[in-house]
Amino acid sequence: MPAASRPLASDPLVALADRCVQCGLCLPVCPTYGREGMEAESPRGRIALARAWALDTIEPGPLGDAHLDHCLGCGNCEAVCPAGVEYDALLVSARGRQRERRGASLLQKALEGLVVRPRLLGALVGLYRRTRSLLPHRLQLLPAPPALASDGMLPLRDATAAQPATSTPSAALFVGCIADSYEGPARDALTRLCAAAGIQLVMPDAQTCCGALHAHAGNLDGAARLAACNREAFAGHAQVLTLASGCHKALAGAIDGETVDALSLLDARSDELTFRSRPERVALHLPCTQRNASGSVPALRRLLARIPELTVIEIDAGFGCCGAAGNQMLIDPVRAGEYRQPLLDQLATSGATRLLSANIGCRLHLGNGTMLPVQHPLEFLAERLATPDAADPAHGRPGASSAR
């Protein structure tokens, strides 16, 4: 029955599902439908499945659960939907009910518990750093973590300490969970870039995981607790910056202030930044969450275009998603690897000397499949940042060329 002729539903999930007009415009942009070619592996199919479960018209079972589990949560469908279906909200709600019915795996529960215990997580990452080379290849699920400290790291102010009055613009920085151990170089780069742009960073100590990992696994209570914790941690901050595009949407829904992708902020103040030329060919991966959640793709392209002689190759082969999908690269590494492989093949033939990607999960997933350096774009931008006494007026002008 067409959505327009259906009766209004009192069930919120059914109400979300009933907005779907079954036009099928989501199918061409859905990674899982592109890989499988099955209606049940499409957004339209999953919407119908979740609605049928909610109305008790079909019995839940392992096959239907698998179709829901396979969704990568990329948001491509929501971006193109002419009816404005809130697919992410529907997916989270459906997985919440699914979890109530069947529970969660031990691995999922372990990951959820680990990311909210930063000391334990940091200790395990440190152990992994020291022993990774000794592990069999099948257990090397993540790239080697970076060194504990970055040379020349500029300290971030503790937002909880009393600070002198200043007219310098400031922004709070959201760190995240696994990013705390893996994104030290990116935080170093952001601090240097913000200093050059006249922005002072603060980093509240009481912040925690964004909760996206919990929400997309159906742990709605856990996600709500983390959201409340971050709301309190960032209270009073008008602007909060994200480094990982995968955390952006969850954090934006949790805090009262404005959530801004760090790349967008730097782009808005790019007249304060001058970059040295770099005759290099770099590959750029644009994560699903950067395209569909943080919206910083245009800003990133403009920033890279300010580096003279740089050639940027955007890699986009395959199904529209690298397959990392939060923790799916750990839960189902074989399937995740199949989504990643076309991108790695394109990277290998691109002639690029490094790969840039703005989401921590994508970088970990892609970095574990290539020998090329994989960086946050901010790291590369900071490398090319010109000091005032060495600036060449021409170096700040747009000069990068792009190729696909």
Side-chain angles (χ1 to χ4, degrees):
M1 179 185 298
S5 63
R6 294 170 184 158
L8 294 177
S10 58
D11 186 323
L13 191 153
V14 176
L16 287 170
D18 280 350
R19 296 187 66 176
C20 177
V21 297
Q22 303 177 14
C23 65
L25 290 179
C26 57
L27 272 62
V29 300
C30 175
T32 57
Y33 180 79
R35 180 179 179 272
E36 304 291 348
M38 296 172 55
E39 178 72 16
E41 288 288 334
S42 74
R44 184 171 65 182
R46 293 188 179 99
I47 290 171
L49 177 67
R51 185 179 190 276
W53 281 348
L55 294 176
D56 293 325
T57 57
I58 64 172
E59 189 74 21
L63 183 59
D65 283 337
H67 292 312
L68 193 64
D69 292 340
H70 290 166
C71 179
L72 303 173
C74 66
N76 291 347
C77 56
E78 194 165 330
V80 302
C81 179
V85 174
E86 298 175 51
Y87 180 81
D88 186 67
L90 185 147
L91 176 66
V92 168
S93 177
R95 285 182 169 169
R97 299 183 187 195
Q98 181 189 51
R99 181 156 174 158
E100 290 178 0
R101 169 172 51 82
R102 70 168 187 179
S105 69
L106 290 177
L107 177 56
Q108 177 64 37
K109 291 179 180 178
L111 291 172
E112 291 175 7
L114 188 58
V115 296
V116 298
R117 293 171 172 81
R119 291 185 179 178
L120 177 58
L121 179 59
L124 290 177
V125 170
L127 178 63
Y128 182 66
R129 180 188 298 111
R130 295 188 295 272
T131 62
R132 182 180 185 274
S133 61
L134 305 176
L135 297 174
H137 180 72
R138 63 184 178 83
L139 295 181
Q140 296 179 9
L141 297 177
L142 298 175
L148 288 175
S150 179
D151 292 338
M153 178 73 177
L154 299 176
L156 298 179
R157 291 193 299 133
D158 179 1
T160 61
Q163 302 295 337
T166 175
S167 60
T168 302
S170 67
L173 176 62
F174 176 74
V175 176
C177 48
I178 190 65
D180 191 17
S181 297
Y182 271 92
E183 278 197 333
R187 289 192 297 275
D188 181 357
L190 176 62
T191 307
R192 293 169 56 200
L193 289 162
C194 282
I199 304 166
Q200 193 166 29
L201 290 179
V202 297
M203 189 168 66
D205 288 332
Q207 61 179 289
T208 185
C209 170
C210 71
L213 181 147
H214 301 70
H216 282 98
N219 185 355
L220 307 189
D221 290 340
R225 286 192 295 270
L226 296 174
C229 183
N230 282 321
R231 187 178 305 113
E232 182 177 352
F234 288 102
H237 294 284
Q239 195 169 64
V240 180
L241 303 185
T242 57
L243 283 173
S245 60
C247 299
H248 188 92
K249 186 172 183 177
L251 186 68
I255 66 173
D256 297 323
E258 180 188 18
T259 305
V260 181
D261 188 304
L263 290 164
S264 296
L265 180 66
L266 292 171
D267 175 59
R269 299 182 67 89
S270 60
D271 287 346
E272 306 292 329
L273 304 174
T274 303
F275 297 102
R276 294 174 288 117
S277 65
R278 181 70 178 183
E280 184 178 350
R281 190 177 179 90
V282 302
L284 176 63
H285 170 253
L286 300 173
C288 308
T289 47
Q290 187 183 16
R291 290 183 274 115
N292 301 322
S294 71
S296 65
V297 170
L300 174 54
R301 287 174 174 153
R302 287 191 293 266
L303 286 168
L304 291 174
R306 296 180 68 86
I307 302 178
E309 301 184 78
L310 181 68
T311 299
V312 179
I313 310 296
E314 293 189 10
I315 61 167
D316 54 6
F319 305 101
C321 180
C322 72
N327 63 354
Q328 287 205 25
M329 61 181 175
L330 302 176
I331 298 290
D332 193 352
V334 173
R335 188 178 181 84
E338 291 173 355
Y339 286 101
R340 176 182 64 182
Q341 193 57 49
L343 292 167
L344 295 179
D345 292 341
Q346 185 183 12
L347 175 63
T349 60
S350 69
T353 56
R354 69 178 86 194
L355 174 62
L356 308 179
S357 181
N359 187 44
I360 179 66
C362 301
R363 285 201 309 281
L364 294 177
H365 189 42
L366 293 167
N368 217 29
T370 178
M371 296 299 294
L372 292 178
V374 180
Q375 297 176 300
H376 195 291
L378 291 173
E379 297 176 60
F380 183 71
L381 289 166
E383 287 176 15
R384 307 316 307 157
L385 189 63
T387 56
D389 57 348
D392 181 333
H395 288 168
R397 299 173 187 161
S401 61
S402 295
R404 295 179 71 89

